[in-house]
Amino acid sequence: MMKLSESLASYIRSVSYEQLPDDVVEFTKLCILDYFSSAIAGSDTPPVAKVEEMVRELGGHEQATLITGGKSSVTNAALLNGASSHIVEQDDIHKGSIIHAATVVIPAALAIAERDDLSGKDLITAVVAGYEVCFRIGEAVTPSHYYYWHNTATCGTFGAAAAVAKLLDLSEEQIVHALGSAGTQAAGLWEFIEDGAMSKQLHPGKAAMNGVIAGLLSQKDFTAASRILEGNRGFFEAMSDAYDVSKVTEGLGETYKIMENSFKVHASCRHTHHAMDIVAELSRERGLDAEDIESIEVGTYQVAINITDNDNPVTVYQGKFSLQYCTAHAFVMQEGSLNTFNEENLWNEEIRGLMSKVRIYVDSAKDGAYPNQWGALAKVILKNGEHIELDTDYPKGDPEQPVTKDELVDKFMQLSRKVDQSERERIAQKILSLEEVEDLEMLFPKNRVDIK
């Protein structure tokens, strides 16, 4: 029987641009566009500024473009560009694996592809392979792994390594070692959420960087564990209470997991989006005000409660991870865009007042359907005595409730407003015709404007 890493290595070697269906190519370009939306939006935030300062101090050969401007080494570029894409809470998400793949796979792939003068077709192929690998490993350990471990950081490292291995044209044996080196570096604990700490941005940046390191070392025939996933002291045994090995190889090479990817509409934790969708829609359709509400009960799955149960957020970041706050925010603001999550709205008396009326609980049906469905119930009681029941199984942006290409282009134009409009239009056009692009440096912004 083949080892899991051998099966994945065989897949990574075999996948080619020519065999990708047209819809997979088009969807992958949207994933890359969505990555740049978040990466540009996060590029001037305090955590990214600190990473950039460190990167500048470390120095390095000018091999790959930084989202903040200029160039550095491929490892530094992967680190910074990964961190920048995971801060405004609008990066993509895969339900089954609970991974924000763009933040780890794409910055790693971009760095190597740019350094080696590879094409847009090469980048698309590598991204498809990276998403496939990390989604499958994430599905194998979900949901037990997710309680302590940030899947994007841990499982995402394998995806970054897979994408890099594809771009470096590693042999199957070298890819096995690359996956071994990726797995032994995989880390990222959820404890940061207790403090709202900047570690959340370090996680994808370091995972992307580690994927690059794993690939580059393997190119030099640096050896690593050949059974890093299923070994007695490997990833599954060490980091999951319950795992399903079959998830790694079932249908491998026959399906394209990237097509299961979801996009985020609201600028908050994905585990808050279900409730936000349905209460915002109620508020818009009925023209209700917060003062009309007696109470709101939100029933959802246990993992959402674990991550977002905070009835008194005191920072904007904590607000994005508070189901109580996000529910009230969405009702009052009738949306949850990046512009509405700010200090003023965090302390908005109307939102705060409604937040105190929101109760959250675990709904057994929603919990049982997780992670295939990230659903919620909302029971809204009005002061006039009317009871309103709302229900959703899929937040907006899931494949079952998709956003359109035009909506993702609009999202990019909004989130990249710190770049002048002509430059935004140029970048979007380049990414949407990526199969024709030969110089990947052209995907990065050149001109910025000050946004107050």
Side-chain angles (χ1 to χ4, degrees), residues 354-379:
L354 183 57
M355 182 178 68
S356 68
K357 301 176 183 179
V358 176
R359 185 181 77 84
I360 63 176
Y361 67 96
V362 176
D363 178 83
S364 59
K366 299 300 182 187
D367 193 46
Y370 178 83
N372 294 323
Q373 297 176 3
W374 293 25
L377 300 169
K379 300 176 182 177

Side-chain angles (χ1 to χ4, degrees), residues 8 54 58-59 62 73 153 197 205 207 210 264 278 297 324 345 350 383 400 403 418 425 447:
L8 291 172
M54 183 194 72
L58 289 174
E62 293 188 349
S73 68
N210 289 344
K264 293 174 72 172
I278 53 182
E297 293 187 359
Q324 295 93 328
N345 285 334
E350 186 178 10
K383 287 184 177 178
E400 297 83 1
V403 291
K418 60 192 65 176
E425 292 171 352
N447 302 312

Side-chain angles (χ1 to χ4, degrees), residues 186-292:
L189 291 163
W190 270 111
E191 184 62 21
F192 74 84
I193 202 169
E194 301 297 329
D195 308 286
M198 296 178 184
S199 303
K200 190 169 194 288
Q201 286 73 61
L202 178 63
H203 286 179
K206 196 60 165 54
M209 182 183 190
N210 289 344
V212 171
I213 290 171
L216 293 177
L217 285 175
S218 294
Q219 191 178 40
K220 301 179 184 300
D221 296 322
F222 186 94
T223 63
S226 62
R227 299 177 69 244
I228 193 64
L229 294 171
E230 74 274 30
N232 291 333
R233 286 175 287 188
F235 184 78
F236 290 165
E237 282 291 314
M239 299 170 75
S240 179
D241 292 335
Y243 55 87
D244 185 350
V245 173
S246 70
K247 295 283 190 181
V248 178
T249 56
E250 184 179 358
L252 181 63
E254 300 170 7
T255 61
Y256 294 93
K257 284 284 183 182
I258 195 169
M259 299 300 289
E260 301 173 3
N261 201 36
S262 300
F263 300 103
K264 293 174 72 172
V265 175
H266 308 301
S268 59
C269 176
R270 183 62 166 183
H271 297 304
T272 68
H273 287 206
H274 43 33
M276 294 179 73
D277 283 348
I278 53 182
V279 300
E281 184 178 6
L282 173 67
S283 179
R284 287 192 298 267
E285 289 186 351
R286 294 284 300 270
L288 296 170
D289 295 322
E291 62 185 22
D292 298 321

Side-chain angles (χ1 to χ4, degrees), residues 109-121:
L110 275 169
I112 293 297
E114 183 186 351
R115 184 199 69 165
D116 293 351
D117 295 321
L118 300 177
S119 70
K121 290 181 179 180

Side-chain angles (χ1 to χ4, degrees), residues 48-79:
V48 174
K50 295 177 188 301
V51 175
E52 181 186 20
E53 183 179 2
M54 183 194 72
V55 163
R56 303 290 186 193
E57 290 170 352
L58 289 174
H61 296 299
E62 293 188 349
Q63 300 170 321
T65 302
L66 303 174
I67 198 69
T68 53
K71 291 191 174 187
S72 189
S73 68
V74 287
T75 50
N76 283 346
L79 172 67

